[in-house]
């Protein structure tokens, strides 16, 4: 059982198939409503419907429709006149065709409605159309009449229910001419890299988790005033200077987005930003440098050679002096060692041993 009443009864025309339906609002407003009051005494301000000719208030039953002509003449139009118009959509949602859902411009999407099967006989054709839309992956484009005018609509499946979105007519969508910036602006690849990093950091959002903070604040304000308490005051935002540098603003946004998600390490954010900002652009290869940079690099060794020539000579002279000193010291050391060796090797004079001559015996 639907919790809200139907706002229109009719049928869906699907070829020769007719599906009796009830039209129900699919959305509801949760905005806090205010009344107009007299500031001096708090009295309610009301709008009353008054007849200009009789200067008296009239009831709803006395009010009809009329079209005001260019000269101010009122041309009465009754409900019977509108009901007798020769259009098939007066009480029927006429399906004109089927298109992919992505082919419908979101700018055209207007109010949303649920379509409920009206009676037991409507259940079978209702389910048939629903399952056909599911299997095709398409939406149905239709026409219907509501609140005194013919409208364009789109039928699609939501859960197990047929939903209809009112669509604006193509000629009701204004062109974008004159809206885009007049100035010619060039966006650098590094700026796009940082924008991509910010988008990746923010990530996706769960629409179910979003809520109306303004409405909650208004309700708290009303509750505080009704109980005689002091209304809550809004915290003063921290004063920050304007960031005129787009790159700096993007880098700061990436850091703050990471911190809000619990990634409080600023060093990581800076590293990511630096890495993204340092990536080569598609037009320039990683190993190539500009002509100016190449010229500077080529000229650099000459300057270095000229500046380091004199220190190199001094270093060579010091090395030669060091070698001579080392050689002299080595020669002196060798001479002293030789003398010591010669002294040590001088033979000691020994008394020659007397030889004993064997005497020959006579025969």
């Amino acid at each position: 059982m639907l919790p809200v009443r139907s706002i229109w009864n009719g049928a869906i025309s699907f070829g020769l198939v007719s599906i009796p339906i009830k039209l129900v609002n699919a959305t509801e407003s949760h905005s806090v409503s205010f009344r107009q009051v007299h500031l001096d005494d708090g009295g309610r301000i009301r709008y009353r419907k008054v007849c200009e000719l009789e200067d008296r208030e009239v009831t709803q039953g006395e009010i009809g429709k009329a079209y005001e002509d260019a000269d101010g003449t009122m041309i009465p139009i009754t409900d019977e006149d509108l009901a007798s118009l020769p259009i098939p959509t007066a009480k029927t949602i006429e399906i004109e065709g089927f298109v992919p859902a992505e082919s419908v411009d979101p700018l055209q999407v207007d109010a949303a409605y649920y379509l409920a099967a009206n009676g037991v006989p409507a259940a079978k054709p209702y389910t048939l159309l629903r399952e056909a839309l599911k299997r095709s992956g398409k939406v149905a484009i239709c026409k219907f009449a509501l609140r005194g005018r013919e409208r364009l609509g789109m039928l699609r499946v939501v859960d197990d229910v047929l939903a209809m979105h009112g669509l604006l007519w193509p000629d009701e969508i204004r062109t974008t001419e004159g809206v885009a910036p007049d100035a010619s602006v060039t966006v650098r690849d590094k700026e796009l890299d940082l924008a991509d990093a910010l988008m990746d950091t923010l990530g996706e959002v769960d629409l179910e988790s979003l809520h109306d903070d303004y409405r909650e604040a208004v309700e708290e304000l009303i509750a505080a005033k009704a109980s005689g308490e002091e209304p809550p005051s809004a915290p003063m935002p921290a004063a920050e200077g304007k960031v005129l540098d787009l790159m700096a603003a993007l880098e700061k946004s990436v850091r703050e987005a990471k911190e809000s998600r619990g990634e409080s390490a600023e060093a990581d954010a800076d590293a990511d930003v630096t890495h993204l900002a340092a990536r080569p652009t598609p037009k320039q290869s990683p190993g190539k440098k500009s002509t100016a940079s190449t010229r500077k690099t080529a000229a650099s060794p000459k300057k270095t050679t000229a500046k380091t020539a004199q220190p190199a000579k001094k270093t060579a002279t010091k090395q030669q002096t060091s070698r001579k000193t080392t050689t002299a010291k080595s020669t002196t050391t060798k001479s002293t060692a030789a003398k010591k060796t010669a002294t040590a090797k001088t033979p000691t004079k020994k008394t020659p041993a007397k030889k004993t001559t064997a005497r020959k015996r006579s025969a």
Side-chain angles (χ1 to χ4, degrees):
M1 189 70 179
L2 292 170
V4 290
R5 65 181 182 85
S6 62
I7 61 174
W8 185 86
N9 293 343
I12 299 175
S13 177
F14 180 31
L16 297 178
V17 178
S18 181
I19 310 171
I21 55 95
K22 294 179 180 180
L23 196 66
V24 177
N25 281 321
T27 61
E28 59 185 3
S29 175
H30 291 165
S31 299
V32 179
S33 299
F34 295 102
R35 303 293 186 186
Q36 290 186 328
V37 296
H38 189 200
L39 292 177
D40 290 345
D41 53 18
R44 172 84 179 275
I45 303 297
R46 296 179 182 272
Y47 291 96
R48 303 183 185 279
K49 297 178 179 180
V50 177
C51 175
E52 292 182 352
L53 296 179
E54 298 181 9
D55 194 20
R56 70 176 180 86
E57 185 178 354
V58 296
T59 63
Q60 186 62 37
E62 299 177 89
I63 300 174
K65 299 183 183 72
Y67 174 80
E68 185 176 3
D69 205 354
D71 59 358
T73 304
M74 293 295 179
I75 303 173
I77 302 293
T78 65
D79 292 338
E80 291 75 15
D81 293 334
L82 296 175
S84 63
L85 289 175
I87 56 173
T89 58
K91 283 292 181 180
T92 305
I93 298 174
E94 290 282 341
I95 295 179
E96 301 292 326
F98 300 86
V99 299
E102 57 270 17
S103 67
V104 178
D105 191 338
L107 284 173
Q108 287 185 258
V109 178
D110 199 4
Y113 309 93
Y114 289 141
L115 304 180
N118 192 2
V120 176
K124 178 73 173 181
Y126 183 98
T127 305
L128 173 64
L129 177 58
R130 183 192 68 195
E131 295 304 315
L133 288 175
K134 277 185 180 180
R135 190 168 72 171
S136 68
K138 295 182 178 181
V139 297
I141 301 300
C142 60
K143 289 182 180 179
F144 66 102
L146 184 65
R147 297 189 180 97
R149 70 185 186 95
E150 189 175 53
R151 300 167 186 255
L152 192 62
M154 176 184 72
L155 297 180
R156 69 184 185 97
V157 180
V158 177
D159 296 334
D160 286 330
V161 175
L162 290 175
M164 182 172 69
H165 295 272
L167 299 179
L168 298 175
W169 296 98
D171 60 359
E172 292 179 315
I173 305 296
R174 293 179 175 177
T175 65
T176 59
E177 185 179 357
V179 180
D182 294 332
S184 178
V185 179
T186 302
V187 179
R188 294 180 295 169
D189 288 332
K190 289 182 180 180
E191 293 169 338
L192 284 174
D193 290 339
L194 283 170
D196 289 341
L198 179 57
M199 291 169 64
D200 292 339
T201 304
L202 292 175
E204 297 181 356
V205 61
D206 180 12
L207 294 177
E208 296 294 331
S209 66
L210 302 179
H211 57 278
D212 190 347
D213 294 324
Y214 180 79
R215 177 173 60 87
E216 291 181 359
V218 171
E219 290 174 348
E220 291 179 5
L221 171 65
I222 295 172
K225 286 209 163 196
S227 60
E229 299 177 359
E230 186 69 21
S233 57
M236 293 297 293
E240 295 184 2
K242 282 188 177 181
V243 182
L244 300 180
D245 185 2
L246 180 58
M247 291 288 288
L250 287 170
E251 290 174 1
K252 184 177 180 182
S253 299
V254 172
R255 284 195 297 269
E256 290 181 354
K258 287 200 170 190
E259 290 174 1
S260 67
R261 291 181 175 272
E263 302 173 17
S264 57
E266 293 188 3
D268 294 341
D270 291 337
D272 292 342
V273 169
T274 304
H275 174 70
L276 286 168
R279 288 196 304 185
T281 62
K283 296 180 181 179
Q284 186 172 345
S285 301
K288 295 182 180 179
K289 296 183 180 179
S290 62
T291 308
S293 301
T294 307
R295 288 175 181 172
K296 290 181 180 179
T297 307
S300 179
K302 295 181 180 180
K303 294 181 180 179
T304 305
T305 306
K307 290 182 179 179
T308 58
Q310 292 179 358
K313 288 180 180 180
K314 293 181 180 179
T315 305
T317 304
K318 289 181 180 180
Q319 290 177 351
Q320 290 176 0
T321 306
S322 176
R323 287 175 184 174
K324 289 179 180 180
T325 305
T326 305
T327 305
K329 288 182 179 180
S330 178
T331 305
T332 306
T333 305
K334 287 180 180 180
S335 176
T336 306
K339 289 180 180 180
K340 289 181 178 180
T341 306
T343 305
K345 290 183 179 180
T346 303
T348 306
K349 292 181 180 182
K350 294 182 180 180
T351 306
K354 293 181 179 180
K355 294 182 181 181
T356 305
T357 304
R359 291 180 180 180
K360 295 180 181 181
R361 295 180 178 179
S362 57

